Amino acid sequence: SNESAIVGVAEISNDLGDVYIMQKDFEKALASFKVTYELRKNIATSFESDENRRNMAISISKIGEAHGRMGNDTKLDSLYHERLKINLEAKDTNARATTYWDWGYQHNVGKNYTVSIRLYKKSIEFIKAIGDKSSVALLQKNIGSNYYKQEKYDDALRFLDNALKNHKELALT
């Protein structure tokens, strides 16, 4: 069908963007992610569904990722805010948790550890509501690691200890 062909082109464009990110060719990544976004936006408009809206939201943040890798954190943040707005409209708690996690990761890559920690903590709020203890433990580890990178060792120990405790509890269940 026409929809599946368009979806295929969007997915391939997205994959190309991911490869360009790995090759540090951020201009080509940005161009690929913009193609993906336009296609997914058209799909979401023509074929209303939560999945299509979610894919469009992810495409928005991929464009933000490319901007972030080029050092444009303002554009990165504005595009992640746009992704969050779509998640809020869909009342999708899981997507909000993932958005904050991804956004925190992008700031982690950019070595903006304070911002990354704040976003990871916001993700934990939503993940706790879902009841995903494994993801909470992983985010606690990420936060502890970011505090370590900032030489805030007491905070690092607190989060890493909690992550370890949570992982041990999960291993026993």
Side-chain angles (χ1 to χ4, degrees), residues 102-158:
D102 291 349
W103 192 359
Y105 173 76
Q106 293 307 320
H107 278 287
N108 185 48
V109 168
K111 297 183 176 22
N112 301 319
Y113 301 123
T114 303
V115 176
S116 178
I117 289 167
R118 180 176 49 79
L119 293 166
Y120 284 157
K121 285 179 178 178
K122 192 72 176 166
S123 181
I124 286 175
E125 290 176 28
F126 289 103
I127 290 171
K128 281 182 176 176
I130 297 166
D132 181 354
K133 292 179 180 180
S134 178
S135 291
V136 169
L138 184 55
L139 279 164
Q140 288 170 328
K141 180 194 122 353
N142 291 352
I143 292 168
S145 175
N146 281 350
Y147 278 128
Y148 171 78
K149 291 171 188 169
Q150 294 178 304
E151 299 181 5
K152 295 179 179 178
Y153 301 120
D154 290 340
D155 290 327
L157 286 172
R158 189 166 39 94

Side-chain angles (χ1 to χ4, degrees), residues 40 94 107 173:
R40 285 182 171 168
N94 192 43
H107 278 287
T173 58

Side-chain angles (χ1 to χ4, degrees), residues 57-125:
I58 290 169
S59 293
I60 289 168
S61 59
K62 291 289 216 169
I63 294 169
E65 176 183 0
H67 280 290
R69 299 294 175 95
M70 292 187 286
N72 188 346
D73 289 340
T74 303
K75 190 71 174 169
L76 165 76
D77 291 339
S78 77
L79 288 162
Y80 266 89
H81 277 292
E82 198 172 325
R83 177 176 169 183
L84 268 179
K85 190 175 144 201
I86 292 168
N87 298 152
L88 286 168
E89 289 168 1
K91 294 177 178 46
D92 189 337
T93 302
N94 192 43
R96 279 186 263 177
T98 304
T99 298
Y100 280 112
W101 190 329
D102 291 349
W103 192 359
Y105 173 76
Q106 293 307 320
H107 278 287
N108 185 48
V109 168
K111 297 183 176 22
N112 301 319
Y113 301 123
T114 303
V115 176
S116 178
I117 289 167
R118 180 176 49 79
L119 293 166
Y120 284 157
K121 285 179 178 178
K122 192 72 176 166
S123 181
I124 286 175
E125 290 176 28

